Amino acid sequence: MRLRRAVCALAALGAVLNADAALAQRLTLAIEIRGTNPNPARPTAPVNTLQELAAALAACWSPPPADRERGPVDVIFQVSFKRTGELFGKPRIVEFARPVTPEERGRYYAAVAEAIDRCSSMPFTETMGGAVAGRVFRVNFIDMRNRRQAGIPWLTKKS
C-alpha cells in the first residue's frame, strides 16, 4: 500500500515537472494590428530575434474585414518551427478574445492558415533556428482597427 502511494506521488510529481517544462518552452508574441494589410508578403530578410519574428508574422497576416457592429476580434493561435524555419506540426487556433459567429470563425481560420502558409518557411538565421526549434509560440493578433479611443487626450497642459 505504501509502495503504491509512493509510486503515485512520484508520478504526480513527474507530471507537474513536465507541465512546468512545457510552460517554459511556450513563448507569447503579442502583435498589434492597426490597419489592413493589402499586400501581405513572406519575409525576405533573415529572422534573428523574436521582434523580427513578430514583424515577419505581422507582414504575412492579412486580417479579414472588421465587423463594425460586433467589434474587433483578437485571435490567438499556436505554432512551432523546426530549426530550418519549416513548420513543426500543425498550427492551431486556441481562442478568440470574444465570442464569434461560425462565419467569423471560418474567416479567421482561413486568414491564419494563409498567413502561416505565406510565412513558411521562415528564413531563420542559424542561431535563431537553434533557439526556436521545437518551441511552441502562442501568437496573439490584437486587432486595433476598430477599438474605441478616448476623444480627448488624458494629458492636458494648463496655462
Side-chain angles (χ1 to χ4, degrees):
M1 187 73 151
R2 283 185 180 176
L3 181 61
R4 180 179 281 173
R5 280 190 220 156
V7 169
C8 288
L10 285 174
L13 180 61
V16 168
L17 292 177
N18 285 338
D20 287 344
L23 288 175
Q25 292 291 321
R26 186 173 15 172
L27 300 169
T28 300
L29 297 175
I31 303 169
E32 288 188 359
I33 305 299
R34 300 225 174 251
T36 59
N37 185 4
N39 299 315
R42 68 181 303 124
T44 55
V47 174
N48 193 42
T49 64
L50 292 177
Q51 290 81 13
E52 291 172 358
L53 175 59
L57 288 170
C60 292
W61 173 250
S62 181
D67 185 351
R68 295 206 179 275
E69 294 177 12
R70 293 185 44 101
V73 176
D74 298 346
V75 61
I76 301 167
F77 64 95
Q78 291 181 346
V79 66
S80 187
F81 297 97
K82 295 179 184 178
R83 178 181 303 272
T84 60
E86 298 170 347
L87 289 178
F88 182 68
K90 190 174 175 183
R92 67 181 188 100
I93 290 185
V94 176
E95 62 185 280
F96 294 95
R98 67 163 173 79
V100 295
T101 65
E103 294 80 23
E104 286 176 312
R105 181 179 308 279
R107 286 195 310 262
Y108 278 89
Y109 278 178
V112 167
E114 289 170 7
I116 295 300
D117 187 49
R118 193 174 293 117
C119 269
S120 199
S121 131
M122 192 65 70
F124 290 139
T125 61
E126 188 175 327
T127 54
M128 183 67 170
V132 303
R135 291 182 183 249
V136 176
F137 287 91
R138 189 175 169 102
V139 181
N140 186 359
F141 280 129
I142 304 166
D143 194 346
M144 301 296 289
R145 293 179 292 172
N146 290 337
R147 304 265 174 163
R148 295 184 187 208
Q149 303 293 325
I152 57 172
W154 64 277
L155 286 177
T156 57
K157 185 175 182 180
K158 294 188 178 188
S159 4

